[in-house]
Amino acid sequence: MNSKASHQTGNRVVIVGAGFGGLNAAEALAGAPAEITVIDRKNHHTFQPLLYQVATAGLSPGEIAAPIRSILTRHRNVEVLMAEVTGFDLDRRAVQTAEHEVPYDYLIVAAGARHAYFGHEEWEPFAPGLKTIEDALEIRRRVLLAFELAERRAAAGEGDDPLNFVVVGGGPTGVELAGTLAEICRHALAGDFRSIDPRRARIHLIEGGPHVLPAYPEDLSRSALEQLRRLGVEVSTSAMVTKIEPGVIYMGDTPMNAAVILWAAGVAASPLGKKLGGPTDRAGRVLVEPDLSIPAHPEVFVIGDLAALKDASGNLLPGVAPVAIQEGRFVGKLIMRELEKRPPSFSRSLREGGDFDFHYHDKGSLATIGRSAAIAQFGKIHISGFAAWLAWLFVHILFLIGFRNRVLVFIQWAWSYFTYERGARLITGGTNLPGWSDTHLGDHRPKPGAEEISATVDK
Amino acid sequence: MNSKASHQTGNRVVIVGAGFGGLNAAEALAGAPAEITVIDRKNHHTFQPLLYQVATAGLSPGEIAAPIRSILTRHRNVEVLMAEVTGFDLDRRAVQTAEHEVPYDYLIVAAGARHAYFGHEEWEPFAPGLKTIEDALEIRRRVLLAFELAERRAAAGEGDDPLNFVVVGGGPTGVELAGTLAEICRHALAGDFRSIDPRRARIHLIEGGPHVLPAYPEDLSRSALEQLRRLGVEVSTSAMVTKIEPGVIYMGDTPMNAAVILWAAGVAASPLGKKLGGPTDRAGRVLVEPDLSIPAHPEVFVIGDLAALKDASGNLLPGVAPVAIQEGRFVGKLIMRELEKRPPSFSRSLREGGDFDFHYHDKGSLATIGRSAAIAQFGKIHISGFAAWLAWLFVHILFLIGFRNRVLVFIQWAWSYFTYERGARLITGGTNLPGWSDTHLGDHRPKPGAEEISATVDK
């Protein structure tokens, strides 16, 4: 295709990753005098801010994800390839995939981040994280299955100790998961069981630092803590996870039985960042120039969670959707402007003078905690509780990709807000849980003397 | 639980399977002086008539499936267990599951049917069938992935032979799948690709008998054939599948390359039928008494696709939802009546006289073919085309479990009817297809001399 493309224009822009950054770059380049190729290993864009709703059975995958090619279908100069990018040849200007090479004149790498276990990858099977639709379905499976297995045991007279759900990490994802889990135990599932009482389930949120939602001002993070406790979440701050085994999690030497353990304790950038060969920070983010290109390669840009860029006050831009969106649009426009020159000039000198530097416009930030519970910061204005939750709801439904999804999600939400029902309580896939295979979970007593491994939270 | 239950009433009814038969039996027994236990290996009831919509990306799983326990939650004497039934002890009156035994006074077995390969189980990996949500997601994955892989190859200049989709079996499921596949190739996917043209894809429907939808009168089955052809499906009747390999299907000695092969060529009853120890027919269905109980065990009933019962004119009742629903209600009422006697008497002599025999009331039957295409039979009245399709749509949305789903499915349907959009075009899970791993599918030339194995269609 790119041969074909080059005949037409000689300008080939390849975008790796169709998250918020990649999609917005593609939209900005729609109609440009260039062939745009978007490469993603999935066929769908995932609206990550609502992923926790899929993990907690509130929404179906199809409601928060849309096929990349149908999102971009109206842009005739944009093609979409579902392929796994394996590396780059910056000198020959080619992206390497498992099967083919895709040449480019401009490259935008927006490969995002994945949850990380900080050297304890062996914990992943026992404490899955939440970054993809598949992750969300696996978490949903484990949470729902835990109640089914507990009911089965209780019905057979094997006791009904309350279930422990443990969420590791007090950032936005951990807070959303813990708050929503508490809500569905108290409401959605409450009346559906005969031998156990889901309301007795305990939700533990474990944060390594002193505060939950540490990225927010202290008053909001305190308010978040109160709202979590009101929802029935037991929050431990400054708590270090030292070991995770099937059905057991250790803080220091103290073990806790857990029906389900969820990991939201930090992210690492995509390994593709290192493959660009330039400097990266300890989380694997690529250190970019003020114009988001990489050193010595003005034709290669890195955006979104994969890029490490500091704002005026020297703080690293957060890994949130608005940053990725603005970076995508910025790079798209920058390339568009250079493409309109004949021949396109890559020299950074032409971008000097500051008006080619990226500046993030912080329109405020929101974090949801659960039903009618959230915090919001718009500059000096701090809101929490129902008002913040409404703001959050409005913003997220508004930005949800695809009108159809927006309507459906809104109906779902209205419905479950008034009925407390969860629309997607399906268990698909296997019917086992780590730590459950062996008789009764209550008997699953850990051995003393856990070696001291510290898994601090990276923020 | 059943010990607990027995203290209360001494009457324990166990229902195995929460399909249409099992659910309706449970509903009929709601409020009965008995403890009802519904056991299913899944946590959800699947609305099977719309499963093909999930397989073809029109609906999300959550829209055609609902948790069994939330469907039955308001009936306080009904409990739901998610467990795999492994067998029965009819003398000790106990149902055996992988982990526990569940004792009963009355037993209703409604374990349904699964698709069957008639001694060619080795074909299943290359030609999946459609009976569960998991099946539907696997078919969806393969169909969507086939287009992604073809686009990737065409974009890399490796040719763009049109894709072949082959559906084996001209019964209702095969016809729905073929018709809907043709529709999405022509419309939903048409504009989304750059290097291939999905409209060039060819849909083949292979039926072993002389007619598609053979259960219907010949004029309707002929009309179905015309409607299929109008949708662009290439139909071969009296065609025997002799061999299936990755990416290749043989009719006689003639091989056909196939990007995706789907199996809708017949069903076999659940193996649980044989475990009841009584006589079964060649499809594994249990031969039941006129009251749907099994010989020598008036306290054990078999209903739905697992039961073999002939109507007045000596025809076997078809494996369709209305039969299962009526059988479930009938058995529920029968047990209810006996439970109200003290002590309940199981003797069939008390059921003599015919008014305790099950009689199926055929309200008519409908089969959908695709967009605005269907056939319907109400006694002597035969309808086809748009009118039949509207009737089908109305009936299926009306009977969809759960009001919420009904609303959502209706919106989805209205939306995609006018936009041709498919709401759930997500590929989750693996990214390989059988027969695609090796270079170009077109090169995948089969060797001559396929041994003659006949896979006839069981209806």
Side-chain angles (χ1 to χ4, degrees), chain B residues 41-185:
Chain B
R41 56 141 75 101
K42 305 275 182 205
N43 84 317
H44 52 273
H45 167 82
T46 305
F47 191 78
Q48 284 194 11
L50 292 183
L51 213 41
Y52 81 97
Q53 281 286 342
V54 174
T56 54
L59 294 172
S60 292
E63 287 151 1
I64 67 154
I68 298 159
R69 48 178 82 256
S70 59
I71 295 171
L72 297 171
T73 187
R74 67 192 184 289
H75 306 311
R76 306 309 297 176
N77 68 322
V78 179
E79 79 172 350
V80 177
L81 293 182
M82 181 182 171
E84 178 92 47
V85 170
T86 54
F88 309 95
D89 185 331
L90 295 184
D91 304 328
R92 292 181 38 249
R93 290 189 179 158
V95 173
Q96 289 144 351
T97 74
E99 289 175 354
H100 312 109
E101 262 199 358
V102 184
Y104 65 82
D105 299 301
Y106 282 100
L107 172 63
I108 303 172
V109 183
R114 185 99 185 105
H115 50 271
Y117 293 82
F118 313 111
H120 292 290
E121 273 54 39
E122 74 276 12
W123 292 352
E124 179 152 28
F126 319 129
L130 180 60
K131 269 286 176 189
T132 66
I133 292 282
E134 284 88 348
D135 296 337
L137 293 176
E138 173 60 14
I139 290 176
R140 184 180 76 179
R141 187 184 73 82
R142 292 190 185 203
V143 169
L144 296 176
L145 202 48
F147 287 101
E148 295 296 335
L149 298 184
E151 173 84 348
R152 196 162 76 196
R153 285 172 175 174
E158 292 177 7
D160 63 346
D161 312 352
L163 290 170
N164 276 338
F165 293 90
V166 180
V167 179
V168 184
T173 303
V175 167
E176 286 165 347
L177 283 173
T180 315
L181 281 178
E183 179 192 322
I184 64 179
C185 296

Side-chain angles (χ1 to χ4, degrees), chain A residues 1 73 82 152 155 192 404, chain B residues 1 73 82 152 155 192 412:
Chain A
M1 94 240 104
T73 189
M82 180 181 172
R152 197 161 76 198
D192 284 1
R404 185 183 137 287
Chain B
M1 97 237 94
T73 187
M82 181 182 171
R152 196 162 76 196
D192 284 2
Q412 295 264 26

Side-chain angles (χ1 to χ4, degrees), chain A residues 150-159 195-196, chain B residues 1-3 79 81:
Chain A
E151 174 83 349
R152 197 161 76 198
R153 285 172 175 173
E158 293 177 5
S195 304
I196 61 167
Chain B
M1 97 237 94
N2 295 66
S3 56
E79 79 172 350
L81 293 182

Side-chain angles (χ1 to χ4, degrees), chain A residues 218-235:
Chain A
E218 208 179 318
D219 61 321
L220 285 179
S221 126
R222 255 202 319 279
S223 154
L225 180 64
E226 286 154 21
Q227 296 183 65
L228 277 167
R229 297 208 161 123
R230 220 173 298 126
L231 286 166
V233 178
E234 301 172 35
V235 182

Side-chain angles (χ1 to χ4, degrees), chain A residues 229-310:
Chain A
R229 297 208 161 123
R230 220 173 298 126
L231 286 166
V233 178
E234 301 172 35
V235 182
S236 324
T237 50
S238 309
M240 291 300 173
V241 172
T242 51
K243 189 160 81 170
I244 298 178
E245 290 172 344
V248 193
I249 182 165
Y250 291 77
M251 276 154 294
D253 296 352
T254 322
M256 183 195 294
N257 291 325
V260 176
I261 305 169
L262 304 181
W263 186 262
V267 296
S270 157
L272 286 181
K274 292 204 166 53
K275 300 227 164 125
L276 288 168
T280 59
D281 68 10
R282 71 193 176 95
R285 284 175 293 238
V286 177
L287 306 177
V288 293
E289 303 286 334
D291 64 359
L292 295 169
S293 65
I294 62 174
H297 285 283
E299 75 282 12
V300 178
F301 298 87
V302 179
I303 60 175
D305 292 3
L306 186 54
L309 184 67
K310 290 197 165 62

Side-chain angles (χ1 to χ4, degrees), chain A residues 154-437:
Chain A
E158 293 177 5
D160 63 345
D161 312 354
L163 291 171
N164 276 336
F165 293 89
V166 180
V167 179
V168 183
T173 303
V175 167
E176 285 166 349
L177 282 172
T180 314
L181 281 178
E183 179 193 324
I184 64 178
C185 296
R186 308 278 178 283
H187 298 289
L189 302 176
D192 284 1
F193 293 81
R194 299 289 178 263
S195 304
I196 61 167
D197 180 357
R199 279 165 301 204
R200 292 172 59 219
R202 299 175 60 184
I203 318 296
H204 304 268
L205 179 63
I206 300 174
E207 161 62 36
H211 301 292
V212 295
L213 299 176
Y216 285 80
E218 208 179 318
D219 61 321
L220 285 179
S221 126
R222 255 202 319 279
S223 154
L225 180 64
E226 286 154 21
Q227 296 183 65
L228 277 167
R229 297 208 161 123
R230 220 173 298 126
L231 286 166
V233 178
E234 301 172 35
V235 182
S236 324
T237 50
S238 309
M240 291 300 173
V241 172
T242 51
K243 189 160 81 170
I244 298 178
E245 290 172 344
V248 193
I249 182 165
Y250 291 77
M251 276 154 294
D253 296 352
T254 322
M256 183 195 294
N257 291 325
V260 176
I261 305 169
L262 304 181
W263 186 262
V267 296
S270 157
L272 286 181
K274 292 204 166 53
K275 300 227 164 125
L276 288 168
T280 59
D281 68 10
R282 71 193 176 95
R285 284 175 293 238
V286 177
L287 306 177
V288 293
E289 303 286 334
D291 64 359
L292 295 169
S293 65
I294 62 174
H297 285 283
E299 75 282 12
V300 178
F301 298 87
V302 179
I303 60 175
D305 292 3
L306 186 54
L309 184 67
K310 290 197 165 62
D311 63 17
S313 41
N315 304 321
L316 196 69
L317 292 177
V320 296
V323 172
I325 292 168
Q326 290 179 33
E327 290 178 341
R329 289 177 185 156
F330 169 85
V331 169
K333 288 205 197 90
L334 181 55
I335 294 173
M336 180 75 108
R337 194 183 312 198
E338 294 189 352
L339 284 171
E340 276 151 4
K341 300 202 198 78
R342 294 265 174 286
S345 62
F346 300 132
S347 140
R348 181 168 294 104
S349 61
L350 297 174
R351 300 182 195 160
E352 296 297 352
D355 45 335
F356 292 93
D357 293 355
F358 172 74
H359 300 290
Y360 174 54
H361 305 294
D362 187 348
K363 302 204 187 87
S365 49
L366 296 141
T368 185
I369 295 160
R371 189 186 179 71
S372 316
I375 61 173
Q377 174 184 28
F378 306 104
K380 302 224 168 317
I381 306 160
H382 297 180
I383 315 174
S384 43
F386 187 70
W389 183 75
L390 277 187
W392 177 88
L393 196 65
F394 176 75
V395 169
H396 283 76
I397 289 182
L398 194 71
F399 282 99
L400 192 56
I401 305 285
F403 164 79
R404 185 183 137 287
N405 287 4
R406 234 174 275 160
V407 175
L408 285 172
V409 170
F410 181 77
I411 291 168
Q412 295 263 26
W413 233 303
W415 182 264
S416 44
Y417 184 81
F418 292 109
T419 63
Y420 283 97
E421 222 179 67
R422 305 296 284 180
R425 272 167 51 195
L426 307 184
I427 298 174
T428 52
T431 57
N432 295 325
L433 281 179
W436 285 69
S437 39

